[in-house]
Amino acid sequence: MDEALLRSLTPSVLTVLVRRGADFAAAEDAVQDALVEAVRVWPADPPRDPKGWLVTVAWRKFLDQTRSDTARRRREDRVEDEPAPGPAPAVDDTLQLYFLCAHPSLTPSSAVALTLRAVGGLTTRQIAQAYLVPEATMAQRISRAKRTVAGVRFDQPGDVATVLRVLYLVFNEGYSGDVDLAAEAIRLTRQLAAAIDHPEVSGLLALMLLHHARRAARTAPDGGLIPLAEQDRGRWDTRLIAEGIGILQAALARDRLGEFQAQAAIAALHADAPTAAETDWVQIVEWYDELARLTDSPVVRLNRAVAVGEADGPRAGLAALAQVDTAVPRHTAVAAYLHERDGDLATAARLYAEAAHKAPNLAERDHLTRQAARLNTHRS
């Protein structure tokens, strides 16, 4: 059973159902039922046209579900619209589905959460981590979003800003999390940039390319994390860096600064430095100031504290960190790093160990544990 094929076809099948009038929640259930049926049937009898098979089965599942509803008689009229047998058109509907899920009846945060869950394939836990909220809170938010759009026809696409937020979060999870979605997010953002002349679309694409260019150098052969300052810059993809910087420069020239352009400018300064020691931290702090004005994000203020520590010394960084809520993820790890830079190895070792217990994934936990062990060994 080709699970990757099933995953790639799911957005297109879901789009077909909502186009034919299925409300989103019922369409999602029908597609999931069709996928279960495919897992059962395909190993012994693989279809010649997998997408057409899934569309047909999912539509029948949807009809079976709606026949028991109070509006059964009206919905049964849709039987005449059942897809005809034969090959389904090879159209990539994923990006359109992102827009459809960003429905005007939803708040932007609810639309993002629903799309990440239904289309992006992220778990509720992963989405909650991205939003810095408890998993139970995110589960309730997604449930409310599904109830809101139940029975709503998806013929009013959402706005670009919401779709960009979804793509950004999908890329971040694919770049640093359990599911590899980074390349898919880049592919969809390229499609969006080709279709829409918007500086923030360009800014997001540049940001993705600049981060993705460093991916090969981020992990050791054993899977351990390699901090930016220790990465082998010869392994960075110079082609992606050049493309990302070119796209960013064109976007910045339009003088319509947004948060993704500001983030991409920071990434470009890192990518442009021949060595870690030559990084222009003063200019990076200035870009973080711009970003903080645009977003007022606690994560931005946390990252700014690191940059201040590099530009003006660890004491200045710790002073900036004191203005950030200690509940922000990775706050303890940043504090450990700045205390180590300041020469307080005992405090740094303790904070690294504490941060390891809070780490969101195994790779980060192992890295922080090794940092604590290194300092403890150095002190003994």
Side-chain angles (χ1 to χ4, degrees):
M1 171 58 58
D2 190 340
E3 295 183 4
L5 175 61
L6 287 177
R7 183 184 180 86
S8 68
L9 291 174
T10 298
S12 294
V13 177
L14 189 54
T15 302
V16 170
L17 266 64
V18 296
R19 280 177 174 172
R20 292 180 176 276
D23 68 72
F24 187 86
E28 185 182 15
D29 288 342
V31 172
Q32 292 301 317
D33 288 344
L35 294 176
V36 171
E37 187 73 6
V39 171
R40 185 182 69 83
V41 172
W42 286 12
D45 185 21
R48 287 193 297 268
D49 177 22
K51 178 182 174 181
W53 189 97
L54 285 172
V55 168
T56 300
V57 172
W59 183 253
R60 288 173 178 165
K61 295 286 185 183
F62 166 70
L63 292 178
D64 288 344
Q65 293 165 1
T66 56
R67 285 192 181 102
S68 62
D69 194 83
T70 54
R72 178 183 57 191
R73 192 169 296 177
R74 177 176 59 85
R75 293 179 178 175
E76 282 181 344
D77 292 339
R78 297 176 185 161
V79 172
E80 298 178 1
D81 295 330
E82 182 176 332
V91 178
D92 183 0
D93 297 311
T94 308
L95 188 58
Q96 182 179 10
L97 188 55
Y98 273 63
F99 273 95
L100 291 173
C101 288
H103 197 271
S105 64
L106 295 171
T107 63
S109 61
S110 294
V112 171
L114 179 63
T115 311
L116 289 172
R117 184 72 184 91
V119 188
L122 274 63
T123 66
T124 303
R125 176 183 61 81
Q126 291 168 327
I127 302 170
Q129 289 176 347
Y131 269 92
L132 311 181
V133 300
E135 184 174 349
T137 300
M138 183 53 63
Q140 292 174 355
R141 185 179 298 178
I142 294 172
S143 295
R144 284 196 299 269
K146 287 184 176 181
R147 288 196 297 271
T148 299
V149 299
V152 173
R153 287 188 65 88
F154 280 69
D155 54 0
Q156 302 178 60
D159 64 1
V160 174
T162 301
V163 174
L164 288 178
R165 178 64 50 191
V166 175
L167 290 169
Y168 174 65
L169 291 174
V170 168
F171 176 82
N172 280 347
E173 190 59 44
Y175 188 66
S176 61
D178 303 324
V179 183
D180 187 359
L181 297 170
E184 174 67 1
I186 291 174
R187 183 182 71 83
L188 293 173
T189 307
R190 284 190 186 280
Q191 285 187 8
L192 188 58
I196 299 177
D197 183 21
H198 191 297
E200 273 294 81
V201 177
S202 298
L204 178 58
L205 179 57
L207 176 64
M208 289 179 174
L209 294 174
L210 290 164
H211 278 306
H212 207 60
R214 303 200 303 258
R215 187 169 190 177
R218 291 183 72 246
T219 54
D222 63 358
L225 291 181
I226 302 177
L228 176 61
E230 301 172 17
Q231 289 175 13
D232 178 1
R233 299 185 178 220
R235 300 187 65 196
W236 290 1
D237 189 327
T238 55
R239 180 186 60 81
L240 288 182
I241 290 174
E243 182 185 4
I245 290 176
I247 292 171
L248 172 64
Q249 289 174 337
L252 291 175
R254 301 176 65 176
D255 199 24
R256 290 170 55 194
L257 184 65
E259 63 173 296
F260 294 123
Q261 294 170 70
Q263 288 189 60
I266 294 169
L269 286 168
H270 283 297
D272 200 40
T275 66
E278 296 174 88
T279 303
D280 188 347
W281 287 107
V282 172
Q283 194 173 167
I284 287 176
V285 171
E286 293 174 354
W287 275 111
Y288 271 122
D289 289 339
E290 291 284 352
L291 191 54
R293 281 192 284 270
L294 290 166
T295 68
D296 193 31
S297 162
V299 174
V300 169
R301 293 196 296 274
L302 181 74
N303 292 332
R304 179 185 178 277
V306 176
V308 169
E310 298 291 348
D312 301 325
R315 295 286 176 90
L318 287 167
L321 184 64
Q323 307 302 313
V324 181
D325 187 347
T326 57
V328 175
R330 298 182 175 87
H331 185 287
T332 308
V334 169
Y337 173 73
L338 291 172
H339 277 290
E340 180 184 358
R341 289 276 320 282
D342 195 38
D344 187 353
L345 303 189
T347 299
R350 176 179 57 80
L351 290 173
Y352 276 130
E354 184 181 331
H357 288 293
K358 302 176 181 178
N361 55 66
L362 183 60
E364 191 168 335
R365 186 184 315 148
D366 289 345
H367 170 71
L368 293 167
T369 300
R370 284 195 295 269
Q371 296 295 87
R374 173 179 57 80
L375 293 185
N376 285 325
T377 300
H378 180 76
R379 291 167 51 224
S380 60

